[in-house]
Amino acid sequence: EWGEAFGYDLSHLDKLEDQVKAFQQIVVGKRLLVVLDDMRRGAEVRPVLAAVAGSTVLATTRQEGLARRFDMRVILLNELTAAEGLALLSHIVGVEQVESELEAAEEICAILQNLPLAVEIAANRIKTQSLRSFGGMVQRLRDKAERLDHLRDEDGRAVRISFEVSWDSLAYDLRQMVRLLAVFEGRSFAAAALGAIAELDEGEAEDKLFNLHGLSLVQAEGEGFSPRYHQHPLLADFAWEKLEESGMVQGALSRMARYFQQFAAENREAYGVLRPEWSNMMAGMSAALKHGLWQLVVDYAKA
């Protein structure tokens, strides 16, 4: 296909090495900008890079490690700030409308945590469907169970589809981790907590998280030997769908609830240790209550 782009037929060359050499001869002396979008596998990228050696290559990827493996200059794209999210919303819908419903507009960006694709889709739905207001969109986005359903546009672009691309490329063990991360609902957590829920030791859980971080499926917080992690809330919604499909919701929530009850009991006076986990402990107690684990509820109260 790369040969065809320059008007050459390389299909008669059976070996990949011969195709690479032929393509190198085609592009020799040409100044090229080669764009590799959504680079995923080294085996696919390596022959392309060999064929265009000397040209300028711009690659996008969710795998930072893959880019570094090929000695590429890495430019990390961070989440938009609150101001940038609001600016994107204003650019599409209009400054006047955003200012007239500023509080609702800010809440939309906060719910979506300024994920560009999500903000853009929400803005376009507001703009093109006159009956929709910022307030109406906020009401729809507050519903976690249906939030991803509202983040689809008429051109077929959808936040869920974007997540499915990453999901389809995951090995089974990492898919299992993504499912189980749903119990945190986007809250910050430590590797030990995920290990307890996944029934792995902390080191194994840390390895899985390292891999997921490399794929941009979790974000790390802090430095050092004990980082914390979190998922983007929309990705957490997607993970929850996958957890429900697996039929493992009650088991995962029960293990989460038991882990944080024990954590609370063991650290009942170590307030500095408890503070980062407060929302998780409350979520664990709520899960125990919801699933009728009455003794666990009592144990939480005692702790």
Side-chain angles (χ1 to χ4, degrees):
E1 290 177 354
W2 286 70
E4 288 174 5
F6 287 88
Y8 292 85
D9 181 7
L10 305 182
S11 61
H12 63 284
L13 300 174
D14 297 329
K15 294 182 179 180
L16 179 62
E17 306 84 64
D18 294 337
Q19 293 176 355
V20 169
K21 290 177 182 177
F23 190 75
Q24 285 175 325
Q25 293 175 0
I26 292 170
V27 301
V28 67
K30 293 183 172 66
R31 297 180 63 192
L32 303 180
L33 170 62
V34 180
V35 180
L36 304 176
D37 188 28
D38 200 12
M39 185 172 67
R40 299 189 210 174
R41 298 176 183 85
E44 294 176 344
V45 176
R46 193 170 288 105
V48 174
L49 293 179
V52 297
S55 297
T56 299
V57 177
L58 173 63
T60 67
T61 182
R62 303 166 197 232
Q63 303 180 41
E64 181 184 346
L66 183 59
R68 295 194 184 282
R69 195 184 312 165
F70 292 111
D71 295 324
M72 293 180 170
R73 178 190 171 203
V74 174
I75 302 172
L76 297 177
L77 300 182
N78 298 315
E79 294 176 1
L80 299 183
T81 64
E84 290 166 342
L86 203 61
L88 176 57
L89 204 61
S90 300
H91 177 72
I92 297 170
V93 179
V95 175
E96 290 185 5
Q97 187 171 351
V98 169
E99 290 181 346
S100 69
E101 294 187 79
L102 183 58
E103 188 174 335
E106 289 175 338
E107 186 171 352
I108 288 172
C109 291
I111 291 173
L112 302 179
Q113 281 203 3
N114 305 296
L115 186 71
L117 176 61
V119 172
E120 185 179 350
I121 289 174
N124 280 319
R125 292 193 67 172
I126 293 168
K127 180 180 179 179
T128 59
Q129 300 178 37
S130 58
L131 295 179
R132 292 190 187 275
S133 63
F134 283 101
M137 182 59 71
V138 166
Q139 293 300 320
R140 290 169 174 82
L141 294 177
R142 282 176 179 167
D143 184 354
K144 293 181 180 180
E146 298 185 6
R147 185 153 48 198
L148 290 177
D149 292 331
H150 297 300
L151 295 173
R152 174 187 296 273
D153 66 15
E154 295 176 353
D155 295 327
R157 296 186 310 160
V159 172
R160 183 184 283 112
I161 292 174
S162 176
F163 293 154
E164 287 283 2
V165 170
S166 291
W167 174 262
D168 290 343
S169 67
L170 289 178
Y172 174 80
D173 62 330
L174 292 183
R175 287 188 181 189
Q176 188 76 335
M177 291 299 103
V178 170
R179 288 189 185 101
L180 295 175
L181 286 171
V183 302
F184 295 107
E185 299 182 279
R187 298 185 302 273
S188 168
F189 64 91
L194 178 61
I197 296 164
E199 299 179 294
L200 302 171
D201 64 42
E202 184 175 352
E204 289 178 294
E206 192 75 62
D207 288 343
K208 306 291 186 191
L209 286 167
F210 179 81
N211 290 332
L212 291 174
H213 181 261
L215 296 170
S216 303
L217 292 173
V218 295
Q219 284 82 46
E221 303 174 0
E223 304 291 338
F225 294 104
S226 300
R228 296 180 65 81
Y229 300 88
H230 73 273
Q231 276 186 311
H232 190 283
L234 296 181
L235 186 53
D237 292 344
F238 176 81
W240 186 262
E241 292 180 354
K242 296 301 183 183
L243 185 63
E244 286 186 319
E245 288 173 8
S246 72
M248 299 188 301
V249 172
Q250 185 164 352
L253 285 175
S254 295
R255 291 192 295 276
M256 185 267 284
R258 294 185 188 283
Y259 171 82
F260 283 110
Q261 186 281 323
Q262 185 176 359
F263 184 90
E266 292 174 352
N267 298 282
R268 64 179 67 204
E269 294 184 10
Y271 301 119
V273 175
L274 290 172
R275 192 170 293 111
E277 302 293 0
W278 198 260
S279 60
N280 288 324
M281 290 186 290
M282 296 302 291
M285 185 157 56
S286 296
L289 182 65
K290 181 177 180 180
H291 292 283
L293 304 173
W294 308 121
Q295 185 56 53
L296 190 56
V297 174
V298 172
D299 292 341
Y300 261 106
K302 289 178 178 178

